[in-house]
Amino acid sequence: MKAEYVIVGAGSAGCAMAYRLTEAGHSVIVVEFGGSDAGPFIQMPGALSYPMNMKRYDWGF
C-alpha cells in the first residue's frame, strides 16, 4: 500500500485534513485505533472529567 500522506488519528482534524488532501488529488492513509465510545461517562458531557483518568479511556500519553 502506497500513499503520499499518512494521517494518524481520525478525529475531526484528521478527517478534515484527509478530505482536503484527497480533494486535491493526493493519496492518503488514515490510521485510527481505539475502542467503542459507548459508555455513560463518554456520552454524558457533564461526566467527561471521569474517564480522563480511567485506563479504559485514557492511555496516559
Side-chain angles (χ1 to χ4, degrees), residues 3 10 13-14 20-24 29 36 43 46 49 54-56:
R20 295 212 176 187
L21 287 168
T22 56
E23 285 291 305
I29 295 174
S36 172
Q43 300 298 324
S49 63
M54 298 172 72
K55 291 187 184 236
R56 177 179 177 182

Side-chain angles (χ1 to χ4, degrees), residues 2-43:
K2 291 185 177 183
E4 295 174 292
Y5 295 93
V6 176
I7 299 174
V8 178
S12 56
C15 289
M17 185 179 294
Y19 174 77
R20 295 212 176 187
L21 287 168
T22 56
E23 285 291 305
H26 299 286
S27 57
V28 178
I29 295 174
V30 179
V31 180
E32 175 65 13
F33 183 81
S36 172
D37 66 347
F41 293 122
I42 300 296
Q43 300 298 324

Side-chain angles (χ1 to χ4, degrees), residues 50-61:
Y50 292 108
M52 289 183 180
N53 295 316
M54 298 172 72
K55 291 187 184 236
R56 177 179 177 182
Y57 300 110
D58 183 10
W59 293 357
F61 290 118

